[in-house]
Coordinates of all heavy atoms in Angstrom, one line a residue:
R1 N -7.4 8.8 14.7 CA -8.0 9.7 15.6 C -9.4 9.2 15.9 O -9.9 9.3 17.0 CB -7.9 11.1 15.1 CG -6.6 11.8 15.1 CD -6.6 13.2 14.6 NE -5.3 13.7 14.5 CZ -4.7 14.3 15.5 NH1 -5.2 14.3 16.7 NH2 -3.4 14.8 15.3
R2 N -10.1 8.8 14.8 CA -11.5 8.3 14.9 C -11.6 7.1 15.8 O -12.5 6.9 16.6 CB -12.1 8.1 13.6 CG -12.4 9.4 12.8 CD -13.4 9.2 11.7 NE -12.9 8.1 10.8 CZ -12.3 8.4 9.7 NH1 -12.0 9.6 9.3 NH2 -11.9 7.4 8.9
A3 N -10.7 6.1 15.6 CA -10.7 4.8 16.2 C -10.1 4.9 17.6 O -10.4 4.0 18.5 CB -10.0 3.8 15.4
G4 N -9.1 5.7 17.8 CA -8.4 5.8 19.1 C -7.5 4.6 19.3 O -7.0 4.3 20.5
I5 N -7.2 3.9 18.3 CA -6.3 2.7 18.3 C -5.8 2.4 16.9 O -6.3 2.9 15.9 CB -7.1 1.5 18.8 CG1 -6.2 0.4 19.4 CG2 -8.1 0.9 17.8 CD1 -7.0 -0.7 20.2
H6 N -4.7 1.7 16.8 CA -4.1 1.4 15.5 C -3.6 0.0 15.5 O -3.0 -0.5 16.5 CB -3.0 2.4 15.2 CG -2.5 2.2 13.8 ND1 -3.3 2.1 12.7 CD2 -1.2 2.0 13.3 CE1 -2.5 2.0 11.6 NE2 -1.3 2.0 11.9
C7 N -3.7 -0.7 14.4 CA -3.2 -2.1 14.4 C -2.4 -2.3 13.1 O -2.6 -1.6 12.1 CB -4.4 -3.1 14.4 SG -5.5 -3.0 13.0
I8 N -1.4 -3.2 13.2 CA -0.7 -3.6 12.0 C -0.6 -5.1 12.0 O -0.7 -5.8 13.0 CB 0.7 -3.0 11.9 CG1 1.6 -3.5 13.0 CG2 0.7 -1.5 11.8 CD1 3.1 -3.1 12.9
H9 N -0.5 -5.7 10.8 CA -0.4 -7.1 10.6 C 0.8 -7.5 9.8 O 0.8 -7.3 8.6 CB -1.7 -7.7 10.0 CG -2.9 -7.4 10.8 ND1 -3.7 -6.3 10.6 CD2 -3.5 -8.0 11.8 CE1 -4.7 -6.2 11.4 NE2 -4.6 -7.3 12.1
G10 N 1.9 -8.0 10.5 CA 3.1 -8.4 9.8 C 3.9 -7.4 9.2 O 4.7 -7.7 8.3
Q11 N 3.6 -6.1 9.4 CA 4.3 -5.0 8.7 C 5.7 -4.7 9.2 O 6.6 -4.7 8.4 CB 3.5 -3.7 8.9 CG 4.1 -2.5 8.2 CD 3.2 -1.2 8.3 OE1 2.1 -1.3 8.8 NE2 3.8 -0.1 7.9
L12 N 5.9 -4.8 10.5 CA 7.2 -4.5 11.1 C 8.0 -5.8 11.1 O 9.2 -5.8 10.9 CB 7.1 -3.9 12.5 CG 8.4 -3.6 13.2 CD1 9.2 -2.5 12.4 CD2 8.1 -3.0 14.6
M13 N 7.3 -6.9 11.4 CA 7.9 -8.3 11.5 C 7.0 -9.3 11.0 O 5.8 -9.3 11.4 CB 8.4 -8.5 12.9 CG 9.3 -9.8 13.0 SD 9.7 -10.1 14.8 CE 10.6 -8.6 15.2
L14 N 7.4 -10.1 10.0 CA 6.5 -11.1 9.4 C 6.0 -12.0 10.5 O 6.7 -12.6 11.4 CB 7.4 -11.9 8.4 CG 6.6 -12.9 7.5 CD1 5.5 -12.2 6.7 CD2 7.5 -13.8 6.7
G15 N 4.7 -12.2 10.4 CA 4.0 -13.1 11.4 C 3.7 -12.5 12.7 O 3.2 -13.2 13.6
V16 N 4.0 -11.2 12.9 CA 3.8 -10.6 14.2 C 2.8 -9.4 14.0 O 3.0 -8.5 13.1 CB 5.1 -10.0 14.8 CG1 4.8 -9.2 16.0 CG2 6.0 -11.1 15.0
N17 N 1.7 -9.4 14.8 CA 0.7 -8.3 14.7 C 0.8 -7.5 16.0 O 1.3 -7.9 17.0 CB -0.7 -9.0 14.7 CG -0.9 -9.9 13.4 OD1 -0.2 -9.6 12.4 ND2 -1.7 -10.9 13.5
A18 N 0.3 -6.3 15.9 CA 0.4 -5.3 17.0 C -0.9 -4.4 17.0 O -1.5 -4.1 16.0 CB 1.6 -4.5 16.9
L19 N -1.2 -4.1 18.3 CA -2.2 -3.1 18.6 C -1.6 -2.0 19.4 O -1.0 -2.4 20.4 CB -3.4 -3.7 19.3 CG -4.5 -4.5 18.5 CD1 -5.3 -5.3 19.5 CD2 -5.3 -3.6 17.7
S20 N -1.9 -0.8 19.1 CA -1.4 0.3 19.9 C -2.5 1.4 20.3 O -3.4 1.6 19.5 CB -0.3 1.1 19.2 OG 0.8 0.2 19.0
A21 N -2.4 1.9 21.5 CA -3.3 3.0 21.9 C -2.6 4.1 22.6 O -1.5 3.9 23.2 CB -4.3 2.4 23.0
P22 N -3.0 5.4 22.4 CA -2.3 6.5 23.0 C -2.6 6.7 24.5 O -3.7 6.3 25.0 CB -2.9 7.6 22.2 CG -4.3 7.2 21.9 CD -4.2 5.7 21.7
L23 N -1.6 7.3 25.2 CA -1.8 7.7 26.6 C -1.6 9.2 26.6 O -0.7 9.8 26.1 CB -0.7 7.1 27.4 CG -0.6 5.5 27.4 CD1 0.6 5.1 28.3 CD2 -1.9 4.9 27.8
F24 N -2.6 9.9 27.2 CA -2.6 11.3 27.2 C -2.4 11.9 28.7 O -2.9 11.3 29.6 CB -4.0 11.9 26.7 CG -4.2 11.5 25.2 CD1 -5.2 10.6 24.9 CD2 -3.5 12.1 24.3 CE1 -5.4 10.3 23.5 CE2 -3.7 11.9 22.9 CZ -4.7 10.9 22.6

């Protein structure tokens, strides 16, 4: 909530990173 964005590094798939943002 503070950042307005979220990232993961290799959590869902090894070697794959992701950035996500909400749409309101």
Side-chain angles (χ1 to χ4, degrees):
R1 290 181 186 277
R2 288 198 301 267
I5 200 167
H6 186 50
C7 64
I8 63 169
H9 300 92
Q11 182 179 349
L12 183 60
M13 188 181 300
L14 187 64
V16 176
N17 299 333
L19 279 169
S20 295
L23 305 177
F24 296 110

